[in-house]
Amino acid sequence: MSDEKRHTIQTQLLTWYGQNKRDLPWRKNKDPYRIWVSEIMLQQTRVDTVIPYFERFMELFPTVEDLANAPEEQVLKAWEGLGYYSRVRNLHQAAKQIVHEGDGKIPSDKKSILKLKGIGAYTAGAVLSIAFDQKIPAVDGNVMRVFSRLFAIGEDIASGTTRKKMESLVEKVMPEEAPGDFNQALMDLGATICTPVSPGCLLCPVRPVCEAYEKGMEEQLPVKKKAKPPVQQEMVMAFFQHQNLFIGEKRPEQGLLAGLWGLPTFEIPKGDRHLTIIEKFCKENRIPVLNYIIKGEFQHVFSHRHWKVTVVEVELKHTGFDLPTSWSWLEKEKRDEKTWANVYHKAFETERKKV
């Protein structure tokens, strides 16, 4: 890479960013806590979705101390709807590390910040460059796409080796001054112009030095190996109810939807029927059923699995029977006091529909 190309990328990108940067609530100052929370929220989530969650989260937990000392249920409730709940669990745990094991301040060196739960190379680079003006790359999918095109790199960006090469390349291009602005400029460029489909090359500030544009390859890059399709699973969710009560299930602390609330959920073996599964379970556990009503179906895609769900309303004769350990009677009007995974919000919507 020539010095001229490096200089062009630096100056054109920073000039463009100064004129076009997005007005985002976490950019109002350089508070490392706000920047850190925003970066965790933005993982696998759109900016316009994150903004209201971020503002509400900051109202509830304005400092790292407030977050560290908050009960887990309150933190999970503030995150409800964002999904990928391991992110907020790690964020909460890292806040405790900072407040109860450290000096109460977010570390300003790479070695220390990487020791915090849930912080990897990208988040560390974002926080250290934006909040502390350190020349450290923050390479996410947007940045990988931009650099794949700028330098016509045809290697698989899903590869760890390629990511390392990209980090090294970004570090070489980064200016000594305003490294945080440079990283954010790359993020904004990838989000608004150098998009995955139909990139807006005519509006791109670095088009004159983009090798993919010069070669007409901008639509072919980056190269990314296709992920395995999600595993298909047939599921049934049971809405056990009696008068103003229904049964909720606290999910296990490990695994899918860990620690959240849900409805009793069963996987349907191939060749079996949803009602058969529920009827068998109720009989084996001596659950006094008055009636079964199939309320409807919906689909929900997780990162590695695809659920096709049938919702069955189970009207009960009474509540005088033993519940499995993870089940609890809940009042319908107080349902929102618990934190429910998105898939169960879909189940509630399905249950409310008239048959």
Side-chain angles (χ1 to χ4, degrees):
M1 174 179 40
S2 68
D3 289 341
E4 183 181 356
K5 180 167 182 172
R6 181 187 294 110
H7 179 72
T8 299
I9 294 171
Q10 291 174 357
T11 55
Q12 294 302 316
L13 203 52
L14 288 171
T15 299
W16 172 83
Y17 179 69
Q19 297 169 348
N20 298 279
K21 64 181 175 182
R22 292 175 291 179
D23 182 17
L24 302 172
W26 45 89
R27 288 180 175 173
K28 294 189 187 309
N29 56 45
K30 289 192 172 187
D31 180 355
Y33 171 64
R34 291 171 65 87
I35 293 164
W36 171 37
V37 171
S38 73
E39 290 298 341
I40 299 299
M41 285 188 170
L42 287 163
Q43 291 170 11
Q44 297 172 292
T45 310
R46 292 170 56 86
V47 167
D48 54 357
T49 300
V50 164
I51 289 173
Y53 278 95
F54 176 81
E55 292 177 331
R56 187 163 59 249
F57 202 87
M58 285 297 117
E59 286 176 10
L60 290 168
F61 318 112
T63 68
V64 68
E65 290 84 4
D66 293 318
L67 179 57
N69 295 323
E72 182 182 70
E73 190 66 38
Q74 186 187 12
V75 176
L76 287 173
K77 188 66 181 175
W79 199 272
E80 186 177 28
L82 271 179
Y84 300 98
Y85 285 87
S86 61
R87 295 181 298 168
V88 71
R89 291 178 181 279
N90 289 339
L91 181 69
H92 194 202
Q93 187 59 42
K96 291 178 180 180
Q97 287 177 262
I98 291 166
V99 171
H100 303 311
E101 300 171 23
D103 61 2
K105 296 179 182 178
I106 293 171
S108 59
D109 67 283
K110 190 172 183 179
K111 185 177 180 182
S112 298
I113 201 169
L114 284 172
K115 290 179 181 177
L116 296 176
K117 190 81 171 174
I119 291 191
Y122 168 75
T123 306
V127 174
L128 296 177
S129 65
I130 299 168
F132 300 108
D133 295 313
Q134 295 182 24
K135 187 183 172 181
I136 299 175
V139 177
D140 67 352
N142 277 331
V143 176
M144 297 271 275
R145 183 168 60 256
V146 170
F147 268 70
S148 289
R149 289 170 175 165
L150 266 177
F151 294 91
I153 297 170
E155 297 172 40
D156 177 15
I157 63 168
S159 157
T161 304
T162 305
R163 175 175 288 275
K164 291 285 186 186
K165 288 181 180 178
M166 288 282 192
E167 288 174 353
S168 176
L169 186 56
V170 174
E171 191 170 11
K172 288 175 183 175
V173 178
M174 286 180 80
E176 297 291 338
E177 300 295 325
D181 282 354
F182 184 79
N183 277 339
Q184 290 178 100
L186 286 174
M187 296 171 196
D188 279 13
L189 188 73
T192 63
I193 289 181
C194 196
T195 50
V197 180
S198 301
C201 297
L202 295 180
L203 300 173
C204 181
V206 291
R207 185 188 71 214
V209 291
C210 179
E211 293 179 32
Y213 179 78
E214 183 185 345
K215 296 173 181 178
M217 296 173 59
E218 64 272 17
E219 294 279 6
Q220 285 76 51
L221 295 173
V223 173
K224 186 176 182 181
K225 185 179 178 182
K226 287 187 178 180
K228 291 181 180 178
V231 175
Q232 304 281 327
Q233 290 179 292
E234 294 267 347
M235 311 296 289
V236 58
M237 293 180 183
F239 191 84
F240 291 102
Q241 66 164 354
H242 179 71
Q243 297 177 359
N244 72 321
L245 298 174
F246 75 101
I247 293 174
E249 178 183 28
K250 185 76 181 292
R251 302 279 301 184
E253 291 302 319
Q254 301 293 327
L256 185 68
L257 308 176
L260 302 176
W261 283 87
L263 294 174
T265 303
F266 309 85
E267 184 171 1
I268 307 171
K270 283 189 176 179
D272 222 326
R273 294 174 60 251
H274 34 261
L275 270 185
T276 306
I277 297 296
I278 298 292
E279 289 170 348
K280 182 181 178 183
F281 180 86
C282 291
K283 187 175 181 180
E284 289 176 350
N285 289 273
R286 298 181 180 180
I287 296 175
V289 177
L290 188 63
N291 195 20
Y292 299 96
I293 304 172
I294 297 173
K295 301 294 289 188
E297 296 180 344
F298 67 89
Q299 298 190 41
H300 189 87
V301 181
F302 299 97
S303 54
H304 299 298
R305 61 189 76 190
H306 182 165
W307 279 7
K308 182 179 179 183
V309 180
T310 301
V311 179
V312 177
E313 184 181 285
V314 185
E315 191 177 347
L316 302 173
K317 296 177 182 177
H318 57 78
T319 60
F321 59 94
D322 293 333
L323 295 180
T325 310
S326 59
W327 292 18
S328 299
W329 286 109
L330 303 174
E331 295 179 42
K332 291 179 183 178
E333 59 269 25
K334 294 183 179 179
R335 190 187 80 200
D336 289 343
E337 293 179 4
K338 304 295 184 184
T339 306
W340 303 85
N342 287 347
V343 67
Y344 294 105
H345 284 295
K346 289 184 180 180
F348 291 132
E349 289 173 14
T350 305
E351 193 278 331
R352 280 197 296 268
K353 295 175 183 174
K354 292 182 180 180
V355 178

